[in-house]
Amino acid sequence: MTTVRTGGEGGGTLVPTYDRLANELAQWRGVGYADPSAVAEAESVVRHEARLLDDHRMAEWLELWAADGALWVPLDPDAHPALDQSFYLDDVRRLHERVAWAEGPSAWSQHPRPLTVRLVSNVEALAHDDGALSVRSSLVLAEHRGGRRQDWAGHQFHRFGPPRQGARGGARPITLKILVVPSLRSACRHPGVLL
């Protein structure tokens, strides 16, 4: 388990969210076979999220997140988010800000609204003793805007908390999401969509 302390001399402050993100990726490096009994549920939840994003149902997408959730798009998946640059690293507050900006009239780069198609495949899952579910999947995202098309491919890693009480279909909150998109490490056009 990776632990990073930041701050000045005298101990510093533990950054638990950064450690949770780094450890979520690290756990998959040693996995042989995932848990086949958890795959059906995992496929359902990651495909539901993809559908909300493609349909621009952003308010519903934001409701999926746990209050302490975090979204990380690393430039180097082997780096620790507290020690290296990221394409972005957002908590839930920042995700709300991104969505509000993208839907506002001053976000000229978001008009016309992009049309996207997310293809989610190769879903694997690990069930945890605390009721959480870790999911690894492959993602291909095609973005169409203003007569131009751009494709992104990579892997996404989710950690979902235990099912919420009373939630439709036993919905699980997203506590972590990590997107590893290799092309972001090279010279490429900036994705205009929320990955």
PDB file of all heavy atoms in Angstrom, residues 42-55:
ATOM      1  N   ALA A  42     -21.323  -5.459 -12.128  1.00  0.00           N
ATOM      2  CA  ALA A  42     -20.347  -4.456 -12.555  1.00  0.00           C
ATOM      3  C   ALA A  42     -20.675  -3.947 -13.951  1.00  0.00           C
ATOM      4  O   ALA A  42     -20.618  -2.736 -14.211  1.00  0.00           O
ATOM      5  CB  ALA A  42     -18.942  -5.050 -12.519  1.00  0.00           C
ATOM      6  N   GLU A  43     -21.006  -4.848 -14.865  1.00  0.00           N
ATOM      7  CA  GLU A  43     -21.366  -4.426 -16.218  1.00  0.00           C
ATOM      8  C   GLU A  43     -22.563  -3.487 -16.198  1.00  0.00           C
ATOM      9  O   GLU A  43     -22.596  -2.480 -16.904  1.00  0.00           O
ATOM     10  CB  GLU A  43     -21.673  -5.645 -17.095  1.00  0.00           C
ATOM     11  CG  GLU A  43     -20.450  -6.423 -17.480  1.00  0.00           C
ATOM     12  CD  GLU A  43     -20.775  -7.643 -18.328  1.00  0.00           C
ATOM     13  OE1 GLU A  43     -21.912  -8.145 -18.266  1.00  0.00           O
ATOM     14  OE2 GLU A  43     -19.872  -8.084 -19.053  1.00  0.00           O
ATOM     15  N   SER A  44     -23.535  -3.791 -15.375  1.00  0.00           N
ATOM     16  CA  SER A  44     -24.733  -2.963 -15.295  1.00  0.00           C
ATOM     17  C   SER A  44     -24.410  -1.548 -14.831  1.00  0.00           C
ATOM     18  O   SER A  44     -24.875  -0.568 -15.423  1.00  0.00           O
ATOM     19  CB  SER A  44     -25.745  -3.622 -14.349  1.00  0.00           C
ATOM     20  OG  SER A  44     -26.865  -2.807 -14.182  1.00  0.00           O
ATOM     21  N   VAL A  45     -23.584  -1.417 -13.800  1.00  0.00           N
ATOM     22  CA  VAL A  45     -23.342  -0.080 -13.260  1.00  0.00           C
ATOM     23  C   VAL A  45     -22.445   0.763 -14.165  1.00  0.00           C
ATOM     24  O   VAL A  45     -22.681   1.960 -14.325  1.00  0.00           O
ATOM     25  CB  VAL A  45     -22.799  -0.121 -11.804  1.00  0.00           C
ATOM     26  CG1 VAL A  45     -23.843  -0.666 -10.859  1.00  0.00           C
ATOM     27  CG2 VAL A  45     -21.512  -0.909 -11.685  1.00  0.00           C
ATOM     28  N   VAL A  46     -21.435   0.158 -14.808  1.00  0.00           N
ATOM     29  CA  VAL A  46     -20.571   0.978 -15.675  1.00  0.00           C
ATOM     30  C   VAL A  46     -21.281   1.343 -16.974  1.00  0.00           C
ATOM     31  O   VAL A  46     -21.072   2.430 -17.513  1.00  0.00           O
ATOM     32  CB  VAL A  46     -19.186   0.334 -15.937  1.00  0.00           C
ATOM     33  CG1 VAL A  46     -18.385   0.233 -14.659  1.00  0.00           C
ATOM     34  CG2 VAL A  46     -19.289  -0.998 -16.622  1.00  0.00           C
ATOM     35  N   ARG A  47     -22.137   0.472 -17.466  1.00  0.00           N
ATOM     36  CA  ARG A  47     -22.895   0.810 -18.676  1.00  0.00           C
ATOM     37  C   ARG A  47     -23.946   1.872 -18.385  1.00  0.00           C
ATOM     38  O   ARG A  47     -24.223   2.739 -19.229  1.00  0.00           O
ATOM     39  CB  ARG A  47     -23.526  -0.448 -19.265  1.00  0.00           C
ATOM     40  CG  ARG A  47     -22.491  -1.345 -19.902  1.00  0.00           C
ATOM     41  CD  ARG A  47     -23.081  -2.595 -20.487  1.00  0.00           C
ATOM     42  NE  ARG A  47     -22.026  -3.367 -21.132  1.00  0.00           N
ATOM     43  CZ  ARG A  47     -22.089  -4.668 -21.335  1.00  0.00           C
ATOM     44  NH1 ARG A  47     -23.165  -5.348 -20.955  1.00  0.00           N
ATOM     45  NH2 ARG A  47     -21.100  -5.292 -21.928  1.00  0.00           N
ATOM     46  N   HIS A  48     -24.538   1.821 -17.195  1.00  0.00           N
ATOM     47  CA  HIS A  48     -25.501   2.865 -16.814  1.00  0.00           C
ATOM     48  C   HIS A  48     -24.805   4.225 -16.771  1.00  0.00           C
ATOM     49  O   HIS A  48     -25.322   5.210 -17.298  1.00  0.00           O
ATOM     50  CB  HIS A  48     -26.115   2.532 -15.450  1.00  0.00           C
ATOM     51  CG  HIS A  48     -27.023   3.581 -14.924  1.00  0.00           C
ATOM     52  ND1 HIS A  48     -28.252   3.870 -15.501  1.00  0.00           N
ATOM     53  CD2 HIS A  48     -26.890   4.451 -13.888  1.00  0.00           C
ATOM     54  CE1 HIS A  48     -28.834   4.843 -14.833  1.00  0.00           C
ATOM     55  NE2 HIS A  48     -28.026   5.214 -13.857  1.00  0.00           N
ATOM     56  N   GLU A  49     -23.621   4.278 -16.176  1.00  0.00           N
ATOM     57  CA  GLU A  49     -22.887   5.547 -16.129  1.00  0.00           C
ATOM     58  C   GLU A  49     -22.573   6.044 -17.540  1.00  0.00           C
ATOM     59  O   GLU A  49     -22.749   7.230 -17.843  1.00  0.00           O
ATOM     60  CB  GLU A  49     -21.586   5.395 -15.336  1.00  0.00           C
ATOM     61  CG  GLU A  49     -20.856   6.721 -15.220  1.00  0.00           C
ATOM     62  CD  GLU A  49     -19.384   6.619 -14.935  1.00  0.00           C
ATOM     63  OE1 GLU A  49     -18.793   5.545 -15.136  1.00  0.00           O
ATOM     64  OE2 GLU A  49     -18.811   7.653 -14.537  1.00  0.00           O
ATOM     65  N   ALA A  50     -22.124   5.148 -18.424  1.00  0.00           N
ATOM     66  CA  ALA A  50     -21.805   5.546 -19.807  1.00  0.00           C
ATOM     67  C   ALA A  50     -23.035   6.103 -20.506  1.00  0.00           C
ATOM     68  O   ALA A  50     -22.951   7.096 -21.237  1.00  0.00           O
ATOM     69  CB  ALA A  50     -21.239   4.355 -20.571  1.00  0.00           C
ATOM     70  N   ARG A  51     -24.195   5.481 -20.275  1.00  0.00           N
ATOM     71  CA  ARG A  51     -25.426   5.958 -20.920  1.00  0.00           C
ATOM     72  C   ARG A  51     -25.790   7.354 -20.428  1.00  0.00           C
ATOM     73  O   ARG A  51     -26.169   8.220 -21.216  1.00  0.00           O
ATOM     74  CB  ARG A  51     -26.573   4.975 -20.663  1.00  0.00           C
ATOM     75  CG  ARG A  51     -27.847   5.353 -21.400  1.00  0.00           C
ATOM     76  CD  ARG A  51     -28.923   4.280 -21.316  1.00  0.00           C
ATOM     77  NE  ARG A  51     -29.417   4.092 -19.965  1.00  0.00           N
ATOM     78  CZ  ARG A  51     -29.195   3.008 -19.209  1.00  0.00           C
ATOM     79  NH1 ARG A  51     -28.464   2.013 -19.678  1.00  0.00           N
ATOM     80  NH2 ARG A  51     -29.693   2.921 -18.005  1.00  0.00           N
ATOM     81  N   LEU A  52     -25.662   7.595 -19.131  1.00  0.00           N
ATOM     82  CA  LEU A  52     -25.968   8.934 -18.605  1.00  0.00           C
ATOM     83  C   LEU A  52     -25.059   9.985 -19.238  1.00  0.00           C
ATOM     84  O   LEU A  52     -25.510  11.072 -19.610  1.00  0.00           O
ATOM     85  CB  LEU A  52     -25.827   8.964 -17.086  1.00  0.00           C
ATOM     86  CG  LEU A  52     -26.841   8.159 -16.278  1.00  0.00           C
ATOM     87  CD1 LEU A  52     -26.538   8.292 -14.787  1.00  0.00           C
ATOM     88  CD2 LEU A  52     -28.269   8.592 -16.576  1.00  0.00           C
ATOM     89  N   LEU A  53     -23.777   9.691 -19.356  1.00  0.00           N
ATOM     90  CA  LEU A  53     -22.839  10.648 -19.940  1.00  0.00           C
ATOM     91  C   LEU A  53     -23.134  10.884 -21.420  1.00  0.00           C
ATOM     92  O   LEU A  53     -23.138  12.027 -21.881  1.00  0.00           O
ATOM     93  CB  LEU A  53     -21.395  10.167 -19.749  1.00  0.00           C
ATOM     94  CG  LEU A  53     -20.871  10.253 -18.312  1.00  0.00           C
ATOM     95  CD1 LEU A  53     -19.582   9.457 -18.160  1.00  0.00           C
ATOM     96  CD2 LEU A  53     -20.679  11.687 -17.883  1.00  0.00           C
ATOM     97  N   ASP A  54     -23.396   9.817 -22.174  1.00  0.00           N
ATOM     98  CA  ASP A  54     -23.701   9.979 -23.605  1.00  0.00           C
ATOM     99  C   ASP A  54     -25.001  10.730 -23.826  1.00  0.00           C
ATOM    100  O   ASP A  54     -25.145  11.468 -24.809  1.00  0.00           O
ATOM    101  CB  ASP A  54     -23.777   8.616 -24.299  1.00  0.00           C
ATOM    102  CG  ASP A  54     -22.411   8.002 -24.559  1.00  0.00           C
ATOM    103  OD1 ASP A  54     -21.406   8.732 -24.495  1.00  0.00           O
ATOM    104  OD2 ASP A  54     -22.362   6.785 -24.829  1.00  0.00           O
ATOM    105  N   ASP A  55     -25.959  10.563 -22.927  1.00  0.00           N
ATOM    106  CA  ASP A  55     -27.258  11.238 -23.050  1.00  0.00           C
ATOM    107  C   ASP A  55     -27.262  12.641 -22.432  1.00  0.00           C
ATOM    108  O   ASP A  55     -28.299  13.288 -22.388  1.00  0.00           O
ATOM    109  CB  ASP A  55     -28.361  10.394 -22.382  1.00  0.00           C
ATOM    110  CG  ASP A  55     -28.651   9.113 -23.129  1.00  0.00           C
ATOM    111  OD1 ASP A  55     -28.177   8.961 -24.277  1.00  0.00           O
ATOM    112  OD2 ASP A  55     -29.346   8.242 -22.560  1.00  0.00           O
TER     113      ASP A  55
END
